[in-house]
Amino acid sequence: MIFVIEHLEPELFDWCKLEYKHISSVVGKDNLLFTNIDDDFLKNIGKVNRKSVLDLNLQNACILDPEAEEEFTPEVAKQFDYVIFGGILGAYPPKKRTAEELSNHLQVPKFNLGKEQMSTDTAVIVTKLICDGKKLSELKFQDGIEIDIAEGESVQLPYKYLILNGRPMLPDGLVEMLKEQEEF
Ligand SMILES: C[S@@+](CC[C@H](N)C(=O)[O-])C[C@H]1O[C@@H](n2cnc3c(N)ncnc32)[C@H](O)[C@@H]1O
């Protein structure tokens, strides 16, 4: 399976870089394609195409969208060569950008990983586990996390997180980045 990330943020923010690095470390750079962007950082962690996935006409592709009706399962995964994601930072409440900017314009099947919003890295890694044979119902999740960034101060991340080894899975460096941002 090739994991395609259509970058849809106006810049390659540090937060996006951490998520994309996390994705690459799990799916491998040869199985990862970033579209709608041309950037040297990304060329080190995956393939890059400056064209939008909307113009690539990928064959045997599907898209993951929280608004889709049908769930992505190991059986579904076997039918496809490409799975497309929005490279979109989470927003609360969710803005339906995946549907509005991607899936409404692509003539490919759409699937969900449940209705709750995950970060792009969580969604890709959960999809990879499903491609490897796990069912969504066999995975553990937590809705929302709170990260302590300074004495008496915390940040709420109101998304759905995969529990791995008993803890919510986050990209390496995210907690440190949030703490540093607080210092400015
Ligand atoms: C942070 S989400 C963007 C969700 C955002 N609320 C929106 O406007 O669509 C980033 C990407 O992860 C994938 N994703 C996240 N949660 C998902 C879910 N529950 N089902 C399917 N895909 C999901 C989608 O590909 C989505 O474009």
Side-chain angles (χ1 to χ4, degrees):
M1 182 73 86
I2 303 293
F3 298 83
V4 181
I5 316 292
E6 170 89 347
H7 183 72
L8 287 168
E9 294 298 341
E11 283 175 42
L12 186 60
F13 298 115
D14 287 346
W15 195 315
C16 303
K17 284 186 181 174
L18 293 182
E19 288 196 9
Y20 293 170
K21 235 170 112 174
H22 190 200
I23 292 170
S24 178
S25 72
V26 175
V27 306
K29 62 186 283 189
D30 294 338
N31 303 317
L32 182 57
L33 170 63
F34 296 100
T35 55
N36 202 34
I37 187 163
D38 188 13
D39 183 273
D40 286 341
F41 171 85
L42 296 181
K43 286 179 184 157
N44 285 320
I45 61 169
K47 299 186 174 78
V48 176
N49 193 324
R50 68 167 66 224
K51 279 191 185 171
S52 164
V53 75
L54 301 180
D55 299 321
L56 288 181
N57 196 21
L58 297 176
Q59 299 298 303
N60 261 349
C62 66
I63 180 160
L64 286 200
D65 180 347
E67 297 297 310
E69 296 294 325
E70 204 181 318
E71 185 180 304
F72 191 74
T73 63
E75 291 69 36
V76 166
K78 286 184 198 142
Q79 301 164 28
F80 297 99
D81 297 323
Y82 295 92
V83 59
I84 302 167
F85 300 83
I88 299 171
L89 291 175
Y92 197 81
K95 290 189 182 156
K96 302 188 182 178
R97 285 180 60 195
T98 314
E100 283 164 15
E101 298 177 38
L102 262 185
S103 64
N104 288 352
H105 310 281
L106 271 174
Q107 302 306 315
V108 303
K110 306 164 194 184
F111 300 96
N112 70 50
L113 301 168
K115 291 286 173 201
E116 299 83 13
Q117 179 181 194
M118 299 175 191
S119 59
T120 307
D121 62 318
T122 304
V124 175
I125 291 164
V126 167
T127 302
K128 162 83 173 129
L129 292 172
I130 294 172
C131 291
D132 291 345
K134 283 268 180 210
K135 292 192 187 114
L136 194 61
S137 58
E138 292 171 337
L139 300 172
K140 277 198 183 159
F141 293 96
Q142 175 177 322
D143 284 324
I145 55 172
E146 181 170 2
I147 297 178
D148 292 327
I149 50 167
E151 183 84 27
E153 268 184 78
S154 64
V155 173
Q156 304 279 346
L157 300 178
Y159 312 116
K160 183 170 168 178
Y161 287 93
L162 179 68
I163 301 293
L164 266 192
N165 306 321
R167 296 170 54 192
M169 180 194 67
L170 287 171
D172 277 350
L174 183 69
V175 173
E176 292 75 8
M177 188 187 81
L178 292 171
K179 286 183 178 168
E180 273 169 29
Q181 281 177 354
E182 185 56 19
E183 285 166 14
F184 289 100

